[in-house]
Amino acid sequence: MKRKNKRLTFVMIALIFVGSAVALVLTAFEENIVFFFSPTDLESKKTPTKQRFRLGGLVAKASVKKQGGGITQFQVIDATNSVLVRYKGILPDLFREGQGVVVEGRLNGSVFQADEVLAKHDENYMPPEVAEALKKSGQWQGINTTGSKAQ
Amino acid sequence: MQIEDKISMHAFMEFIEMNGHAAFIWSSYGIVIFVLIWLFIVGVQFQTKSETKLSQLNPRPRHRSGVRSERKTGKQNEA
Amino acid sequence: MLNRFANPIRFLRLADQIQPWAAILTLVLFAAGLYFALFNSPPDYQQGETVRIMYIHVPSAWMALFCYTLLAITSGVAMIWKHPLANLAGRATAPIGATFTFLALITGSIWGKPMWGTWWVWDARLTSMFILFFLYLGYIALQDAFDNAEGGSKAAAILALVGFINVPIIKFSVDWWNTLHQPASVIKFSGPAIHSTMLTPLLLTALAFKGYYVWLFLINMRGEIAEARCRALQVSQIQNAQVAKVATSDARDAHAD
């Protein structure tokens, strides 16, 4: 009896682990594979605009405007399209013009009302001096090439 | 306090503070080092435990645990 | 080739030779890695000092995938060739892999909060890594889930092999799907996108973790081999006792006659 109990608990634990793994895989495939939509997806009506969804792209250069009451407004762009985003709250450290961003919220007319802003960084790592030197010599390619991956 | 001391102290504090991200950086390094040492201790304990168990079951000297098993069985015989 | 190491005594002799080197290499590489990671490397142009978390996060994630690949290989060898040490090697590897997966998840979460602005999101990379952790736990739990050790090993080996599909999914998740997690920096076609001053600490800690794996694997293997011998001895002792019982009762019967 004792042994049988032990075996039963072990099988149960294993089943719970395997079961939750499978459940996670399924949920992942259901909704989370597409973590965010691009402005172009929005334009081509691929996005369920009635519900909450995530929008991803680059923060357009010179588009960030701080308004009163902690409200920030900016354009999220990809290679061809752009969407105006409004957000109230604290922005993450890496939120910068020209950097990747993923915002979550609802589309309100033509303005995306975000209640969460996540910064997406690219795969390039370098010291500030090197980045400076690259920009000066015109060899800068990091952000723009990887940014278009948002599509 | 000497000026050089102040500068080095300042540099040290700057190093500890990690530009305001101290909590994130030091905690992640702390967790990694703590967990890796913990896992290592668990491994060593498992080895010692199972080798002692083997030497008690098996009176024949064998490889590493053999040395220990001879001593152990000797004690058991005395008792 | 395989048969050369089939003998546990031969394996242990080899382990005796490797272990001190693994220990020295691990400690030296880790000390050097920490020195470069914390003292002698520049901040990142975007992330500042927080980039230092990369030097332990990325090697942990590599180890998680490396250990699972080994787990799948040992499971395959155990099932196909019935190699006596293969299953023990899997048992010795699984806790190390599970620990590195855990560390990759935790350090990633700590890194994500200041950089992304969140501890966790369910994107394809993070979710598939989370599943890997559960695959490890499932493997460990299944090993001892059956009365006969062989059944447990077999079930765990099947899980390890089926779950291996997750490894390429983790690797390519950032390329196949939209994720919050950034794409690969080091292992990619166009060469590393990390400046050499930052690549140094990364590779040093990565090698230190590899050394740590070898070191702890050998220790775990000694434990597993001793444990396997104990199981075999207990079985034979029970059989001997039964034989002895039958013999004494036979003798008693004979005496009574």
Side-chain angles (χ1 to χ4, degrees):
Chain A
M1 191 59 203
K2 242 187 183 174
R3 251 193 184 168
K4 208 176 174 185
N5 274 343
K6 198 181 159 196
R7 189 171 56 195
L8 200 69
T9 8
F10 271 126
V11 172
M12 290 289 271
I13 292 167
L15 274 179
I16 289 166
F17 281 143
V18 175
S20 31
V22 172
L24 280 167
V25 173
L26 290 179
T27 32
F29 274 82
E30 281 279 288
E31 31 180 303
N32 293 314
I33 289 297
V34 178
F35 187 69
F36 57 82
F37 296 96
S38 68
T40 304
D41 291 336
L42 212 65
E43 195 69 21
S44 54
K45 310 259 184 271
K46 275 188 200 158
T47 327
T49 47
K50 290 271 182 289
Q51 307 155 20
R52 272 169 68 83
F53 66 97
R54 293 194 196 88
L55 172 75
L58 290 178
V59 180
K61 289 250 160 72
S63 76
V64 179
K65 288 187 189 81
K66 301 261 179 193
Q67 296 169 333
I71 295 170
T72 318
Q73 197 175 297
F74 52 92
Q75 297 272 349
V76 170
I77 56 165
D78 59 11
T80 45
N81 290 292
S82 81
V83 176
L84 187 68
V85 177
R86 194 173 289 145
Y87 169 68
K88 186 183 173 177
I90 301 157
L91 294 160
D93 283 13
L94 267 193
F95 178 86
R96 261 158 236 182
E97 290 183 350
Q99 278 284 68
V101 75
V102 176
V103 295
E104 191 173 349
R106 261 172 232 278
L107 204 58
N108 188 2
S110 64
V111 180
F112 189 89
Q113 200 72 43
D115 47 40
E116 193 175 11
V117 171
L118 304 176
K120 180 172 161 55
H121 61 79
D122 56 46
E123 71 274 35
N124 298 300
Y125 299 90
M126 63 188 93
E129 311 87 71
V130 176
E132 231 14 76
L134 278 179
K135 272 177 192 160
K136 265 186 196 151
S137 64
Q139 284 178 302
W140 187 255
Q141 42 170 312
I143 282 170
N144 294 332
T145 48
T146 52
S148 57
K149 270 193 179 161
Q151 291 167 44
Chain B
M1 208 187 250
Q2 302 265 304
I3 294 171
E4 295 95 72
D5 285 351
K6 261 187 191 162
I7 290 169
S8 71
M9 194 60 205
H10 181 71
F12 179 71
M13 284 318 289
E14 232 171 34
F15 169 68
I16 293 292
E17 280 162 15
M18 286 279 174
N19 213 1
H21 287 128
F24 297 104
I25 298 168
W26 293 117
S27 64
S28 54
Y29 275 84
I31 290 168
V32 167
I33 291 168
F34 175 83
V35 169
L36 289 183
I37 291 174
W38 167 80
L39 185 72
F40 189 82
I41 292 171
V42 169
V44 171
Q45 279 176 341
F46 170 63
Q47 187 203 340
T48 341
K49 211 182 90 193
S50 48
E51 281 184 349
T52 335
K53 196 167 125 196
L54 177 66
S55 62
Q56 280 162 353
L57 277 172
N58 184 17
R60 272 176 301 161
R62 248 190 196 178
H63 193 65
R64 282 201 139 191
S65 52
V67 184
R68 234 174 286 161
S69 75
E70 261 181 344
R71 232 182 278 138
K72 279 260 166 62
T73 45
K75 258 182 213 161
Q76 277 166 0
N77 288 345
E78 278 166 37
Chain C
M1 175 64 197
L2 273 174
N3 284 330
R4 267 186 64 84
F5 302 106
N7 186 338
I9 293 174
R10 199 173 276 149
F11 174 87
L12 289 172
R13 215 175 287 146
L14 191 70
D16 281 342
Q17 288 176 339
I18 299 172
Q19 202 170 315
W21 291 105
I24 292 166
L25 269 176
T26 305
L27 295 174
V28 169
L29 286 169
F30 197 56
L34 279 182
Y35 169 70
F36 277 98
L38 293 168
F39 300 89
N40 199 1
S41 62
D44 181 59
Y45 77 114
Q46 288 290 350
Q47 306 196 23
E49 304 287 347
T50 320
V51 75
R52 300 186 195 284
I53 297 177
M54 173 175 73
Y55 307 135
I56 44 172
H57 168 74
V58 172
S60 299
W62 285 346
M63 287 310 293
L65 296 182
F66 173 77
C67 289
Y68 199 89
T69 308
L70 289 182
L71 208 60
I73 292 171
T74 57
S75 298
V77 171
M79 285 189 71
I80 299 162
W81 288 285
K82 305 264 176 219
H83 190 282
L85 285 180
N87 179 55
L88 298 183
R91 289 181 73 120
T93 299
I96 310 176
T99 303
F100 275 116
T101 314
F102 172 77
L103 287 176
L105 291 171
I106 290 288
T107 54
S109 182
I110 295 172
W111 195 11
K113 184 60 189 168
M115 289 300 106
W116 295 342
T118 180
W119 298 104
W120 185 266
V121 290
W122 293 101
D123 82 347
R125 168 58 72 86
L126 276 67
T127 308
S128 53
M129 205 61 188
F130 193 71
I131 291 167
L132 186 75
F133 184 57
F134 275 72
L135 284 170
Y136 274 120
L137 295 184
Y139 180 90
I140 295 167
L142 274 176
Q143 283 283 1
D144 299 316
F146 293 79
D147 263 352
N148 61 330
E150 213 171 303
S153 312
K154 213 173 206 172
I158 292 169
L159 176 72
L161 285 171
V162 171
F164 185 69
I165 185 69
N166 196 25
V167 170
I169 290 179
I170 293 172
K171 172 75 184 106
F172 296 109
S173 56
V174 287
D175 302 321
W176 291 342
W177 301 295
N178 284 337
T179 53
L180 185 62
H181 196 285
Q182 67 280 10
S185 299
V186 179
I187 306 164
K188 60 183 224 170
F189 288 121
S190 54
I194 297 183
H195 193 258
S196 57
T197 51
M198 296 164 142
L199 205 55
T200 310
L202 183 65
L203 295 181
L204 281 173
T205 41
L207 285 173
F209 282 5
K210 284 271 179 334
Y212 174 88
Y213 168 78
V214 173
W215 189 11
L216 186 52
F217 168 77
L218 293 176
I219 290 171
N220 284 350
M221 263 319 254
R222 293 179 195 283
E224 292 293 351
I225 288 172
E227 200 75 15
R229 275 189 189 150
C230 286
R231 278 197 293 270
L233 277 172
Q234 274 162 341
V235 169
S236 68
Q237 274 176 356
I238 289 165
Q239 280 166 349
N240 286 346
Q242 278 165 345
V243 169
K245 214 186 216 171
V246 172
T248 45
S249 65
D250 279 356
R252 213 181 293 130
D253 289 348
H255 193 74
D257 285 344

